Structures are given as C-alpha cells and as structure tokens.
Amino acid sequence: MPTRLLHALAATLLALLCATGTAGPVPDTLAQRALACTVCHGKQGRAAPDGYYPRLAGKPAGYLYNQLLNFRDGRRDYGLMSELITPLSDAYLRELADHFAALDLPYPAPQPPTLPPAELARAEVLIRQGDPARRLPACTSCHGERLTGVQPAVPGLLGLSRDYLNGQLGAWRSGQRRAQAPDCMAHIAKTLTTTEINAITQYLAGRAVPADAHPAAALPAPAPMRCAGMP
C-alpha cells in the first residue's frame, strides 16, 4: 500500500480510536472505538480473510498489551500499526487489549497440510519435545500442552494461518520483529531451519482448535527459558 494511503488510513482509524462522541449519536464506548481495529483484523477481531492480519479475539490480555507496546515503541514495525497507536497512552492500550481478550468467538477451520506425514511427524516432535541438543524448548513448554496459550501473556498457536505463522517466525529470524528482553522467540526462530519452520507452521495451521480454546491459567512447570512477559 502506498505510503500516502497508509497515512490517510491511519488518520481515519486514529480518529475513530480517539473520537469523543460529540459529533453525533454514535456511542462513545471502547467497543465502538475498537471498530477501527477490525478494519484490518476482521469483524470482532476474528482475523482477516487474507490470513496476514492476526486474530485478536480471545488472546491473553497481557500478550495483546505487550504487542501494542512493541509496535508503539519500535520493537515491531508495521507502518499503519505504528502510526495508529503512537499517540495512545499505556492505559488506553491496556483497555484495548482487555477488550479484545474478553471476546469469546469461534475459530476458523484448520488448513489441510500439504507435507508428507513423516515431515509433519518431525514437526510434532519439535513442538512437543523440542531439541535439547540445540537448546530448542518444546512449543508446549511455553504455549501450553493444548497450544492455546497461557495467562497472562503467552499466545495460542492454533487457529492461525500458515502465512501468518511463517511471516512472524521469518520476522524474528531477520530481526524485523523483536520483543522486550529477554527475547526467547528470536533465539528459537534463528535456531530452526526454514524447512523446520515450514513443517511446524503446516502442522499448527492444520490442527483444529480444541473445544476449550481458552488460554491455560498457568504452566504446570517453570518455563525452560526466560522470556519477556512470562512470570
């Protein structure tokens, strides 16, 4: 999207987020202001059809808040997001995170994988057991046994598109996506090979979200790595 159009869209969305409600009968509520986010993230924050913009609904509030801070403070970079939330306070970003975290909505159907079963089996081993020789923890050791995330700040890995998962792991590998220190995902993404990333994302995108899709209340054991946002 051309920069000028990005600026225009950002200005429009920012006006919606910061509207005072004095111009007409539209209610001045957080839910009304949050509609600006759904322009890209899909109706009610359930993700856009193109698979690039992620789901917001039902993710842990701490995770959503941390990502808003990362965009605002330059650790993540996407022009529209950064420009949209730069003027917003910590308190307002927390309110937005709490709003979307409280939404309890259905998830999309899984994407059928295209890789041979042997490659998917190897991906499942990495996801559930990791690779101690390379200091790679299992995905389940941080994201929960059901891979639905863990409160207060670890997101689920199911119900996301392959394109989005690939894009985020690629951004961590290249340094385009960063988190507050210690950034454990940067180490993990840089240790995985591109073949492993493709297999892992195909496996995750091909799994149905369990009936109880809520994040776990806590991990059953201490996380294997120190990571920002984790207790």
Side-chain angles (χ1 to χ4, degrees), residues 3 11 17 19 27-28 48 74 84 87 100 104 130 159 164 178 190 198 210 216:
T3 301
L17 279 173
D28 181 23
L84 178 62
F100 283 106
D104 195 358
Y164 177 74
R178 294 175 290 128
K190 290 172 183 177
N198 182 51

Side-chain angles (χ1 to χ4, degrees), residues 109-124 127 147 157-167 169 194-208:
Q111 295 175 280
T114 59
L115 290 176
E119 292 187 46
L120 295 173
R122 171 58 179 157
E124 184 173 17
I127 289 166
L147 297 169
L157 300 179
L158 303 182
L160 299 168
S161 74
R162 285 197 298 268
D163 287 344
Y164 177 74
L165 291 167
N166 278 321
L169 287 168
T194 54
T195 298
E196 288 170 337
I197 286 175
N198 182 51
I200 286 170
T201 58
Q202 288 228 19
Y203 177 91
L204 292 172
R207 300 285 292 182

Side-chain angles (χ1 to χ4, degrees), residues 45-71:
R46 290 174 61 174
D50 61 13
Y52 183 76
Y53 296 98
R55 178 187 178 98
L56 303 178
K59 286 187 173 179
Y63 172 76
L64 294 174
Y65 176 64
N66 285 340
Q67 300 319 302
L68 288 168
L69 291 180
N70 288 340
F71 276 114

Side-chain angles (χ1 to χ4, degrees), residues 42 60 69 99 112 120 123 126 128 133 135 139 150 170 193 198:
L69 291 180
H99 168 76
L120 295 173
L126 288 171
R128 301 202 174 275
R135 295 182 56 226
C139 301
V150 179
T193 68
N198 182 51

Side-chain angles (χ1 to χ4, degrees), residues 104-107 146 148 158 207-215:
D104 195 358
L105 301 165
Y107 282 78
R146 296 180 301 118
T148 57
L158 303 182
R207 300 285 292 182
V209 178
D212 180 5
H214 297 96

Side-chain angles (χ1 to χ4, degrees), residues 130-143:
D131 185 348
R134 291 187 289 165
R135 295 182 56 226
L136 272 173
C139 301
T140 53
S141 63
C142 293
H143 292 271

Side-chain angles (χ1 to χ4, degrees), residues 14 26-27 41 137 187 221:
L14 181 59
V26 177
H41 288 277
H187 163 76

